[in-house]
Amino acid sequence: MTALDIDLSIGIDLSSLCCIKANNVVVKSAFLLSSCSASHVVVSLVKNYPNYLIINLDKLDYCASLKNLETVSEKENYKFIQGDICEPHFIKQLFETEKIDIVLHFAAQTHVDLSFWHALEFTYVNVYGTNVLVAAAHEANVEKFVYVSTDEVYGGSTDQEFDESSPKRPTNPYASSKAAAECFVQSYWERYQFPVVITRSSNVYGPHQYPEKVIPKFISLLQQNRKCCIHGSGLQRRNFLYATDVVEAFLTVLKEGKPGEIYNIGTNFEMSIAQLAKELIHLIKKTSSESEMEHWMDYVKDRPANDMRYPMSSEKMHKLGWRPKVPWKEGIKKTIEWYKENFHNWKNAEKALEPFPVTEPFAQLNVP
């Protein structure tokens, strides 16, 4: 069996490792790391591929919730391990013990606002952690290493549409750390022909997302009868992809993605932050009155840098057979319903609803 040589007919903030075994013989393995998206990928793999043992590795940082994986936690082909990708001896032992064949590296600190105040920690986790992981994967002769990056590495644009050959011009510490990590990953292809693939995704939304991100934050604020806090003018536009569409994109990359390539995972659906707030106010507060909508919008000071748009071409992914399918109205309705019941899946969720980070979520670094 070649890497995910299967029928991909499946209809993030966890760090996850997937190892596939059957009758105690390793058949295939994968390593899935951190984010709302990763938990959805884990659930899909566990439920749809029972011969694959999915080992979920998570540091359990402030934004993680194991409740996101309760639906598969008792499955025989699922296993959870708590650990940190920034610990090289632990990661090396993990590859040796579990005989990893496929890596999907989602793990990262991702909150842009927080990155301005904790740039060193973002560099440590996102760059050093990636270096640890790709080095261990290379030593273990992994069959495919997928690094999950972001559209933000391109920097902002008001008109130019980015493709995979566009230069990286990141404008915040988070995006800079992801761009630097990409360089480490890509260097293993250039030097060793190690089979790496890089993906750059638009904003993902849907269930399981820690409410520091804009869509779950606005939903949760409105559900608690609080105003949406909008940074700056609110005219910044973002592209939003529903979680299950992103799951299918990653599975497509696993099966069809070529080593050494970069793939944009994007959508043409785009909305300003102010319009996003109005859409959610309309759906949650049941009003179409402009004055009533303005009542639920609170404009606050902008972040130090806030790109206007991230327009991105996903033609390479379309040629692999993937396109987003979930309409905005369907995806946002499911997301609103989920947060009604699951906001308290995180013990510190209330702190995420402040306009800007107010806590110190990182432990003191012990950089080797």
Side-chain angles (χ1 to χ4, degrees):
M1 176 183 271
T2 58
L4 278 187
D5 185 17
I6 47 183
D7 175 21
L8 295 176
S9 57
I10 295 176
I12 248 3
D13 235 20
L14 287 178
S15 306
S16 330
L17 161 83
C18 300
C19 175
I20 300 109
K21 298 180 181 179
N23 299 323
N24 296 319
V25 177
V26 174
V27 179
K28 192 58 55 188
S29 56
F31 202 104
L32 305 173
L33 290 157
S34 200
S35 84
C36 159
S37 313
S39 64
H40 290 280
V41 175
V42 171
V43 170
S44 290
L45 287 173
V46 171
K47 288 185 175 181
N48 290 279
Y49 305 107
N51 292 329
Y52 286 56
L53 174 60
I54 313 303
I55 303 173
N56 171 22
L57 172 73
D58 192 347
K59 183 183 177 182
L60 295 182
D61 210 339
Y62 75 100
C63 53
S65 172
L66 288 176
K67 290 186 178 181
N68 287 340
L69 291 166
E70 281 184 343
T71 58
V72 298
S73 62
E74 300 301 321
K75 299 286 186 180
E76 290 185 359
N77 63 324
Y78 174 80
K79 178 181 178 182
F80 172 74
I81 298 173
Q82 185 172 356
D84 188 347
I85 64 166
C86 293
E87 296 180 3
H89 298 299
F90 166 74
I91 293 298
K92 178 180 172 64
Q93 184 179 31
L94 198 58
F95 274 94
E96 292 173 352
T97 303
E98 302 296 346
K99 309 301 181 184
I100 308 304
D101 294 317
I102 301 172
V103 174
L104 292 98
H105 175 22
F106 290 80
Q109 291 293 341
T110 64
H111 189 29
V112 176
D113 294 338
L114 200 58
S115 75
F116 289 106
W117 315 112
H118 295 276
L120 176 60
E121 288 89 344
F122 273 66
T123 303
Y124 177 63
V125 174
N126 297 354
V127 182
Y128 175 71
T130 295
N131 196 16
V132 168
L133 197 59
V134 71
H138 173 252
E139 186 175 346
N141 294 314
V142 161
E143 291 182 16
K144 181 174 279 190
F145 185 103
V146 179
Y147 178 65
V148 180
S149 192
T150 171
D151 57 3
E152 294 197 33
V153 300
Y154 294 120
S157 172
T158 55
D159 51 6
Q160 177 193 1
E161 187 176 61
F162 301 119
D163 62 25
E164 290 82 356
S165 66
S166 298
K168 296 192 286 283
R169 295 189 177 114
T171 61
N172 61 66
Y174 158 65
S176 298
S177 69
K178 296 294 284 185
E182 280 191 19
C183 293
F184 273 104
V185 171
Q186 215 157 12
S187 71
Y188 275 76
W189 168 251
E190 298 296 338
R191 182 175 179 182
Y192 305 110
Q193 294 294 286
F194 180 55
V196 304
V197 179
I198 293 171
T199 67
R200 295 169 180 160
S201 174
S202 298
N203 286 23
V204 179
Y205 77 99
H208 301 180
Q209 195 170 40
Y210 184 65
E212 67 187 1
K213 299 301 195 296
V214 65
I215 287 181
K217 176 179 278 193
F218 283 5
I219 290 172
S220 301
L221 285 166
L222 291 168
Q223 287 176 342
Q224 296 181 26
N225 291 317
R226 296 166 62 183
K227 296 182 179 183
C228 299
C229 47
I230 298 171
H231 291 171
S233 67
L235 298 179
Q236 304 87 355
R237 303 180 67 83
R238 296 294 182 263
N239 300 78
F240 294 107
L241 268 172
Y242 191 63
T244 56
D245 281 334
V246 179
V247 169
E248 291 198 356
F250 288 127
L251 294 176
T252 300
V253 167
L254 279 178
K255 185 179 181 182
E256 305 290 348
K258 296 180 180 179
E261 293 293 330
I262 300 170
Y263 295 95
N264 288 342
I265 301 174
T267 172
N268 291 329
F269 178 79
E270 185 184 45
M271 183 181 294
S272 74
I273 301 303
Q275 183 59 38
L276 169 65
K278 290 180 180 180
E279 289 256 342
L280 294 174
I281 292 164
H282 170 68
L283 292 169
I284 296 171
K285 294 303 178 183
K286 311 297 183 185
T287 180
S288 298
S289 165
E290 193 70 25
S291 61
E292 287 187 44
M293 287 183 178
E294 290 291 339
H295 169 76
W296 292 103
M297 298 166 68
D298 183 21
Y299 290 85
V300 301
K301 183 180 178 182
D302 206 351
R303 63 170 60 145
N306 202 344
D307 297 325
M308 289 302 295
R309 296 177 67 223
Y310 300 110
M312 197 167 63
S313 168
S314 300
E315 186 63 29
K316 283 180 69 173
M317 281 297 296
H318 298 168
K319 290 179 179 179
L320 296 186
W322 173 87
R323 288 180 184 269
K325 299 175 182 177
V326 180
W328 166 255
K329 288 185 179 180
E330 177 185 333
I332 199 62
K333 181 179 178 181
K334 290 180 179 178
T335 306
I336 290 170
E337 290 299 316
W338 190 86
Y339 281 93
K340 281 183 181 178
E341 304 297 329
N342 295 281
F343 174 75
H344 292 290
N345 281 5
W346 303 268
K347 63 181 180 180
N348 57 353
E350 287 288 344
K351 295 180 180 178
L353 300 185
E354 296 299 324
F356 296 97
V358 294
T359 59
E360 297 286 332
F362 298 102
Q364 183 176 357
L365 293 180
N366 294 310
V367 181

